[in-house]
Amino acid sequence: MRSKQLREAGICYSEDGTVILSAALYEGPRGTWELDIRQVDGPGQAISHHDSEAAARHAIEIAYATGRQHGRWHVEHRPAGVAGSDTGGRSR
């Protein structure tokens, strides 16, 4: 059985460079998706499970929109089937 694999990871920085949020999107076995969002200096973390990539990507876009109210995101993508690869980061 295949374990979950990281597909996208983002870190949100405040204007002074402090990390305030992180988000990670994982693809699990049998087409399931998991979104893990953590507030660095806050109450903790939220994990949501999705049955499709489209639903999971919609959820992470909502997280990015929330983070943009407080700072700037740096996002890295990893293509399916290539463990540990990085297609480059981008700011949002």
Side-chain angles (χ1 to χ4, degrees):
M1 181 163 82
R2 184 181 100 189
S3 64
K4 66 183 182 180
Q5 295 186 5
L6 182 64
R7 293 291 174 240
E8 185 169 318
I11 298 175
C12 185
Y13 298 91
S14 67
E15 288 184 20
D16 67 2
T18 304
V19 175
I20 54 176
L21 290 171
S22 68
L25 183 61
Y26 297 93
E27 182 181 8
R30 297 179 302 279
T32 60
W33 291 80
E34 179 179 296
L35 175 59
D36 180 350
I37 300 171
R38 297 172 190 254
Q39 185 176 2
V40 175
D41 288 334
Q45 114 187 58
I47 297 176
S48 59
H49 298 274
H50 304 276
D51 293 331
S52 71
E53 181 178 4
R57 294 215 174 269
H58 177 74
I60 203 167
E61 288 300 329
I62 291 170
Y64 291 153
T66 301
R68 281 192 295 272
Q69 295 174 20
H70 307 286
R72 185 167 186 83
W73 286 94
H74 177 77
V75 179
E76 293 185 5
H77 300 272
R78 291 177 171 80
V82 185
S85 71
D86 179 15
T87 60
R90 64 181 171 151
S91 294
R92 291 179 159 231

